[in-house]
Amino acid sequence: MSTASIIELDGLTKRFSRKLDVVERFARRLGAAIDDRAVQAVSGVDLSIAEGEVVGLVGESGCGKSTLGRMVAGILPPSAGTLRWRGRDLRELSPADRHHANLKIQMVFQDPMASLNPRLRVADIVGEAPVVHGLVPRRQAEDYVAATLRQVGLDPAYLRRYPHQFSGGQRQRIGIARALAVKPDVLVCDESVAALDVSIQAQIINLFMRLREELSLTYLFISHDLGVVEHISDRTAIMYLGRIVELAPTPELFDKPNHPYAKALLDEAPRVSVEKRRFAPIRGEIPSPLDPPSGCAFHPRCPHAMPRCSAERPALRAIAPRRWSACHLNETTGP
Amino acid sequence: MTEPLLRVDGLKTHFLTRAGTVKAVDGVDLRLDRGEILGLVGESGSGKSVTGQSILGLVDPPGRVVGGRVLFQGEDLVGAGEKRLRAIRGRRIAMIFQDPMMTLNPVLSIGTQMVEAVQAHETVGRAEAWERSRRALARVGIASPDERLASYPHQFSGGMRQRVAIAIALLHSPDLIIADEPTTALDVTIQAQILFEVQTLCRETGTALIWVTHDLAVVSALADRVAVMYAGRVVETGTVTEIIGNPRHPYTRGLLESVPSRNRRGVPLRSIPGMTPSVLDLPEGCAFRPRCDRSTGACTTMPELVGEREDRAWRCWNPVGAEARGDAA
C-alpha cells in the first residue's frame, strides 16, 4: 500500500509554544517552576494517502485536523516527523523539487471571503499563481483563467469582477479554481463546504467529485460534518486531541465503528430520519490541549474506561485488514 | 380545537432600505400549541430569523412589522406597546440566540446577570434570586453551579455558554422559547448534549419551542412539526414524518435530496440548481419558480398555502406526487 502512496505522514507533530516574557524569565531564574506553555496540536500522526484516494479527516474543534491539513499543504512546518511526497522525504529534496512538490499540493479554505483578496479581480486571483510559476505565459493567462473557471462551473464573463460581487457558493468555486490553476495532484479541503447552505453545499460536493474524475485528483477532505465525509471519502480518519483514534474504509467505519469515541460521534450526529429520537449524549467536554489527560485522551469521557486507560496511551493498531484503532479494549476482549 | 398558544397570521416584516423594500417576511402563518416543538427551517435569507424576531418585536429599524398579527394566548403582540412587550419578553416568551457571547455581558459575572434577569420581572430578594439561578444552572447540566455563578462568560466554553443562555431563558418558566440556531456553532457531541437537555425540559415543563435552523437533521430528530420557509414565506408545513417522509413542495424535496446521506454514498447529490434569489428582486409569482423542475405557466401567480389540514399544507401549483403518486419515497 505504501508503494502507491502519494503522501505519507510519519509521526507528524506540531507544537505551538509561547516564549516566556521578561517577568516570567526573571521569576524562573529566581527558582519559580515556570515552563514554556506549549500546545501539542498534532501528536505523531501516521497516515498514508494513495494516489487518487479521498481521505476524510473528521474531528471536533481543537482536535488538530486543520493544523494537520496545513502541514500537509506546506503552510505550517511540522515540529517533528516526516512528510513524504511520492516516497521521498520533503526535507531531502532539492529546493527545485521541493518547490515543485509544494505546488502539487493545494488547499481550499473554509471561508472564501477571508481567503480571496477583495481588491483583486477574479482574473488576477486565479491567474496570478500559474503566471508567476511559469505554467502559463502571461499573454495566454486570460484564456487559461477562462478555461479554469469553466471547469468549476463559472461563467468566464465574470473574469473582471471582484469577489464581493459573487454569492457564497460562487466564491467557493473561485477558491477551487485558484487551487486548480497550478495543476495540483492533491487538494487539501479544510471545511470547504461548511459555510454554505444545504442546496449550495450539494452543488460544491458534486463539483469536487466531478473534478476528482476529470483530473484524477487526490483529496484530504477535512470536515466536522460526518454526512459530508461519509458521502465523499474512500477512507475516514477520526481525530481526537491531536491523534488519529480510528482509521478505516468509510463504509466499514460508519457501519461498525470500533473506537468508543468514533461510536459516540456517529451515534450523536443527527440524521435526517422520520423517527424522532432521544439523544443520549456522552458526558463532559473536549479537554484542553494545553493540559491533555494522561493515557488515552478520551478516557475521562469514555463509558468503557478502565484503570489501564489513564495510565497508558493506546497505540494505533491494525484490528482488521485496512482498519486501525487506538483502544485498549481491542486487546482485552480479544477477537 | 382549543385556542393555540401562539398564532401568527399573515405576518409581514419589511426593511425599507435605500435600495428598495426588502420583504424579508411576507405573509407568514404559524401556529403552536403548548409543549409543542416547531422547527422553522430555511436557508440563509429565507426570513426564518426575522420571523422569530418579529414575534417578540425585536426587529431593528429600518425593519418594521407592516402587517399581520401575532396572537400570543389571544393577545396581539404586533400593536402592543413597548412596556407591555418588556413584561412579556424573558418572562412569558424567552429567546436564545446563536452566539451566546453576544447575549452575555462580558464584564459581569454569570450570577450578577442571572439575578438581574430574575429581578427584572419579579420583586424577590437577592438571596432567593441567587438560589433560583443556581437551580436553573443545575437543571441544564452545569456541574458545581455555585462556582459557576461567580465566573465570567470568557471562562466558559462555547457549549457551557449556550447552556447558561438556556438557563437564563428558563428562569421564569416561560410558555414559549424561540431559539435561533442555538447549536450551529457547537461541536457534534456538545450539540447532542444541548438537544438532550432541551428535549427533556420541554417534556417536563410543557414549554413550547420554536427552533429556527437550517439543519434538517437536527429538526428531524427534535421537532414535532416543521415549517419550511423560502424567500419570506412558508412554503410547506406538516409533522416531521410528513415533511421528511412525504414532502410535497419541490423545494422541500430538493433540500432533503441535497443532504448527503448513507444510502447514496458516492453518487452525485441531486442538488437544487441556481441560488437563492435576492429578496430585493424576487421573481414574479412563486419565488422558487426559476429553480424548480416542475414549474408551469401557472407558477407566475403566487399559489396559496393549501393542503389536507390547516397544519399540513403546501404553497405549490404542481406539488410533488400530485399526478404520479409513488415517486416520493
Side-chain angles (χ1 to χ4, degrees):
Chain A
M1 208 187 119
S2 57
T3 46
S5 68
I6 187 163
I7 289 175
E8 217 180 316
L9 315 179
D10 193 357
L12 210 62
T13 298
K14 182 71 198 179
R15 209 176 297 112
F16 293 104
S17 55
R18 190 183 63 103
K19 290 269 183 297
L20 297 180
D21 62 28
V22 178
V23 179
E24 286 166 326
R25 278 205 303 272
F26 184 66
R28 182 154 75 173
R29 191 169 293 178
L30 294 178
I34 297 175
D35 286 327
D36 287 5
R37 278 162 67 88
V39 178
Q40 187 107 338
V42 175
S43 332
V45 166
D46 304 327
L47 179 68
S48 84
I49 303 175
E51 178 115 47
E53 191 182 28
V54 179
V55 174
L57 192 57
V58 186
E60 297 182 279
S61 38
C63 74
K65 55 187 192 302
S66 291
T67 307
L68 184 64
R70 277 159 197 258
M71 284 194 285
V72 171
I75 296 174
L76 281 176
S79 313
T82 45
L83 205 162
R84 281 189 213 96
W85 169 251
R86 296 190 187 277
R88 291 158 73 196
D89 188 340
L90 265 188
R91 283 171 305 189
E92 286 162 12
L93 293 178
S94 68
D97 283 350
R98 194 184 316 145
H99 184 79
H100 175 76
N102 280 335
L103 215 54
K104 285 292 179 191
I105 311 176
Q106 287 298 317
M107 190 149 180
V108 179
F109 297 90
Q110 170 173 0
D111 181 0
M113 205 56 207
S115 55
L116 302 177
N117 188 335
R119 294 177 167 232
L120 289 186
R121 294 174 196 274
V122 172
D124 298 318
I125 290 172
V126 179
E128 187 179 26
V131 169
V132 167
H133 292 292
L135 300 173
V136 178
R138 190 173 293 277
R139 268 181 299 138
Q140 292 163 26
E142 198 150 312
D143 291 341
Y144 181 74
V145 172
T148 314
L149 288 185
R150 231 172 270 128
Q151 208 167 32
V152 298
L154 278 178
D155 189 344
Y158 294 157
L159 223 54
R160 304 248 144 261
R161 291 203 187 173
Y162 290 96
H164 72 263
Q165 294 171 298
F166 292 88
S167 71
Q170 289 175 320
R171 259 181 237 139
Q172 197 53 280
R173 287 177 197 264
I174 298 171
I176 296 167
R178 177 180 60 181
L180 291 179
V182 292
K183 301 196 171 84
D185 292 339
V186 178
L187 279 190
V188 177
C189 305
D190 188 2
E191 299 277 13
S192 305
V193 297
L196 305 173
D197 271 326
V198 190
S199 66
I200 309 298
Q201 177 177 309
Q203 294 174 359
I204 301 292
I205 291 174
N206 286 345
L207 172 65
F208 276 128
M209 286 164 66
R210 200 190 79 216
L211 291 172
R212 178 198 185 186
E213 294 291 316
E214 287 175 5
L215 308 170
S216 46
L217 290 171
T218 305
Y219 289 112
L220 178 62
F221 202 90
I222 302 168
S223 178
H224 72 283
D225 188 330
L226 291 156
V228 171
V229 167
E230 184 185 17
H231 189 81
I232 201 169
S233 57
D234 302 321
R235 282 195 302 153
T236 299
I238 293 185
M239 278 186 87
Y240 190 73
L241 231 60
R243 290 171 204 278
I244 292 183
V245 296
E246 185 163 0
L247 170 66
T250 305
E252 292 172 37
L253 181 81
F254 279 79
D255 287 344
K256 216 165 177 290
N258 175 276
H259 195 279
Y261 176 64
K263 266 183 210 153
L265 202 61
L266 293 180
D267 280 351
E268 275 156 47
R271 289 182 177 280
V272 176
S273 69
V274 175
E275 302 128 59
K276 202 164 158 182
R277 47 173 284 208
R278 279 198 69 109
F279 290 92
I282 39 174
R283 293 160 297 135
E285 305 247 329
I286 305 157
S288 155
L290 264 174
D291 181 25
S294 62
C296 172
F298 188 58
H299 85 261
R301 305 174 74 190
C302 183
H304 310 291
M306 32 187 199
R308 188 181 172 194
C309 298
S310 51
E312 188 188 333
R313 189 172 54 238
L316 192 64
R317 288 201 180 86
I319 52 164
R322 287 173 47 80
R323 290 199 66 166
W324 281 268
S325 174
C327 182
H328 288 313
L329 286 173
N330 292 319
E331 290 157 50
T332 46
T333 47
Chain B
M1 205 181 277
T2 54
E3 181 63 19
L5 176 73
L6 178 79
R7 182 180 200 101
V8 176
D9 273 336
L11 181 71
K12 289 186 179 187
T13 305
H14 292 180
F15 288 76
L16 310 161
T17 67
R18 236 188 298 172
T21 304
V22 177
K23 298 175 177 174
V25 175
D26 203 24
V28 163
D29 306 312
L30 299 170
R31 60 167 290 155
L32 193 68
D33 288 318
R34 270 184 189 287
E36 199 174 30
I37 304 181
L38 172 74
L40 194 55
V41 183
E43 297 185 286
S44 33
S46 64
K48 57 187 191 304
S49 293
V50 177
T51 302
Q53 290 162 11
S54 304
I55 292 172
L56 267 180
L58 289 174
V59 181
D60 288 324
R64 208 153 62 82
V65 177
V66 296
R69 296 187 304 166
V70 175
L71 293 172
F72 177 68
Q73 295 179 330
E75 179 185 356
D76 192 355
L77 299 186
V78 168
E82 191 60 19
K83 199 173 162 201
R84 179 70 192 131
L85 283 174
R86 287 192 73 152
I88 290 172
R89 284 181 201 143
R91 177 161 194 161
R92 314 267 303 278
I93 308 180
M95 186 134 186
I96 304 169
F97 296 91
Q98 177 173 353
D99 184 0
M101 208 52 198
M102 306 277 279
T103 41
L104 297 173
N105 188 331
V107 297
L108 294 180
S109 72
I110 298 295
T112 312
Q113 298 186 50
M114 290 187 79
V115 166
E116 196 174 67
V118 174
Q119 292 179 332
H121 291 292
E122 280 170 60
T123 39
V124 293
R126 194 182 146 75
E128 198 197 324
W130 189 271
E131 175 56 27
R132 264 182 46 191
S133 311
R134 211 182 62 79
R135 279 205 306 270
L137 283 187
R139 202 155 64 165
V140 295
I142 290 182
S144 52
D146 279 314
E147 265 169 58
R148 289 313 195 168
L149 277 173
S151 318
Y152 289 85
H154 72 269
Q155 295 170 301
F156 289 73
S157 65
M160 291 284 262
R161 259 179 239 143
Q162 199 55 279
R163 276 163 205 264
V164 172
I166 294 174
I168 292 178
L170 289 171
L171 276 175
H172 294 282
S173 318
D175 300 304
L176 170 65
I177 297 179
I178 300 172
D180 191 357
E181 306 243 18
T183 59
T184 307
L186 302 177
D187 281 313
V188 178
T189 55
I190 309 299
Q191 168 173 289
Q193 291 170 358
I194 301 269
L195 292 178
F196 171 73
E197 314 285 4
V198 167
Q199 219 172 26
T200 317
L201 287 168
C202 282
R203 190 169 301 143
E204 284 171 4
T205 60
T207 301
L209 183 67
I210 297 181
W211 194 271
V212 179
T213 184
H214 69 279
D215 193 333
L216 280 165
V218 167
V219 157
S220 78
L222 179 75
D224 303 310
R225 287 197 300 113
V226 181
V228 181
M229 286 190 70
Y230 188 78
R233 284 190 167 93
V234 173
V235 294
E236 184 166 4
T237 173
T239 64
V240 168
T241 322
E242 286 163 340
I243 295 282
I244 308 283
N246 186 20
R248 301 303 301 275
H249 197 284
Y251 175 66
T252 315
R253 187 189 61 176
L255 266 189
L256 286 166
E257 283 173 347
S258 303
V259 177
S261 74
R262 60 172 36 196
N263 43 35
R264 287 190 292 266
R265 181 179 291 152
V267 178
L269 300 164
R270 285 193 46 186
S271 57
I272 306 174
M275 49 188 162
T276 335
S278 156
V279 269
L280 266 174
D281 183 24
L282 285 179
E284 193 191 338
C286 172
F288 188 59
R289 175 170 56 91
R291 303 174 73 187
C292 184
D293 57 359
R294 305 175 67 87
S295 70
T296 56
C299 301
T300 46
T301 38
M302 173 58 83
E304 289 300 309
L305 199 61
V306 291
E308 298 154 9
R309 307 185 306 271
E310 186 196 0
D311 55 359
R312 175 58 185 143
W314 46 87
R315 198 183 274 279
C316 184
W317 292 115
N318 310 303
V320 179
E323 69 286 80
R325 291 233 46 131
D327 59 343

